[in-house]
Amino acid sequence: MLTRKLFRSTIFRLTLLYAVFFCVSIIGILTFVYFATVREMESQIKHRINIQINQAQSAFNSKGLDELKKQISEFLDEEDEGLFIYILTDDKGKTVIGNMENFPEEVKYSENWLMFDIDAKNDEDATHILAKDANLYGGYRLLIGYSLKGPDKTKSVMFDVVSASILLAFFITALGGAMFSGVIRRRLEEINHICTQVIGGNLDVKVPRTGGGDEFDNLAGNINSMLARIAELVGGLKQTSDNIAHDLRTPLNRHRISLENIINHPTSPQKINETLKEGIEEIDNIVETLNSILRISQAQSGVASGHFVEFDLSTVAIDVIEFYEDFFEQKGITITTSIETELMINGDKPLITQAIANLIDNAIKYTPSGGEVSISIIKQDKSIECIIADNGAGIPEDFYDKVKERFFRMEESRTSAGTGLGLSLVDAVATLHKGTLIFSNNNPGLKAILILAADYVINL
Ligand SMILES: Nc1ncnc2c1ncn2[C@@H]1O[C@H](COP(=O)(O)OP(=O)(O)OP(=O)(O)O)[C@@H](O)[C@H]1O
Ligand SMILES: [Mg+2]
């Protein structure tokens, strides 16, 4: 069970793979060292044999058999460790001189070289001999060999060392890998634990950060920001749905009561007509509120940025002001405008139009008769500012953020028609166009500035 779990772990598998790669490379290096050493030892032996064969041959060629025998005797005298093998046979194969009884059965090792065993009771006891033979004039045959007892011993020691090194390397890698995977697993488990809590519905959790600034710390930071954003969105969504339910229940109830009255208290067709007209108006208001909510959500989600087009903001603003001219007149409000021409902008035309209309609508709604409203649209260094200022009651500074919330209306405004969605939309439109909505005191009154920022402004 535990092993299956272990093998399913990517970190464990990666560690194992790493250990295998590491060991394969160690095996490669040590094998190379092993064969290089063996070859070097062999070539030194061959070199010593070659020197003696050459000496013997030149002794025979220059001064004949006696000199050769003398030379071999000298070799035998010098040879006190019992490592060299010498044998000279005549044309009948009889031994003339040497420290070996018979010429060995030849076993070809490689070109010019022979390899055979002596003292061979069994394979383990046998001594390997590397030798070279030479055919001399008159049918004589000379063989000089060297015992590989020493090199064989060195080889076997080296083999043991190499095997032990590989085993040790594997254990060290596996141990290091286990420690390393343990650290990673612990960090991942922390993150998994947090995810499980989030799945369980708890958004008030945070992935702990070590403060080391490594990749896991960055991931933890991003997950925490993501959770904070999700919590904010979920909170906003809950707030909005509560508000929608609250704000739509009253008009819908009112509408229901009117319809019920018609059924329960039969009345004149004219009265029925009036009630139905009121009902339609009520429904239109509800639909308008729902449309505003949809527009705000659209602006906030950023999907509207897919509908961006280039248009002249000056013309749009002038059209909106023209539309409201009658309202200004009816309420006896003086209006002054200062609109720069050809303010080209890349943005969502219907949303920007609606945002400017909302600000103007507020200025009319919250400025008493005889008041003054000024509208100016100017280009700044890297943005366009739409400034709508009135001399009405204004908004206390503490409420500048609050009035941007959906459905929020100041207490004193509740007598006038409205849903409290106007400024929410303006704020969302500003954010969509990388701008902002700011308020200041117009002494008296409110100055609202909708800033549409750089990326979206062309021909500045
Ligand atoms: N120019 C202003 N002067 C004074 N108070 C204002 C002004 N503009 C907005 N407010 C206050 O801010 C609140 C929110 O404004 P917002 O435009 O969001 O909603 P609304 O005008 O009440 O309703 P809606 O615009 O949805 O019809 C208003 O209810 C009002 O109290
Ligand atoms: Mg409004």
Side-chain angles (χ1 to χ4, degrees), residues 106-119:
E106 290 173 37
V107 185
K108 220 76 182 133
Y109 173 52
S110 68
E111 208 185 342
N112 299 328
W113 293 96
L114 309 171
M115 180 88 89
F116 56 89
D117 294 345
I118 55 170
D119 310 330

Side-chain angles (χ1 to χ4, degrees), residues 220-232:
N222 281 337
I223 291 176
N224 290 342
S225 314
M226 197 171 74
L227 287 175
R229 179 83 180 117
I230 293 173
E232 192 188 327

Side-chain angles (χ1 to χ4, degrees), residues 246-262 275 278-283 285-286 417-419:
H246 179 263
D247 272 64
L248 297 190
R249 204 170 34 213
T250 319
L252 282 174
N253 269 339
R254 221 175 18 233
H255 187 50
R256 189 177 185 282
I257 292 166
S258 312
L259 293 177
E260 236 173 23
N261 277 342
I262 297 177
T275 314
E278 277 168 21
I280 289 172
E281 250 173 56
E282 202 91 72
I283 289 172
N285 283 339
I286 293 171
T419 47

Side-chain angles (χ1 to χ4, degrees), residues 64 332 416:
S416 60

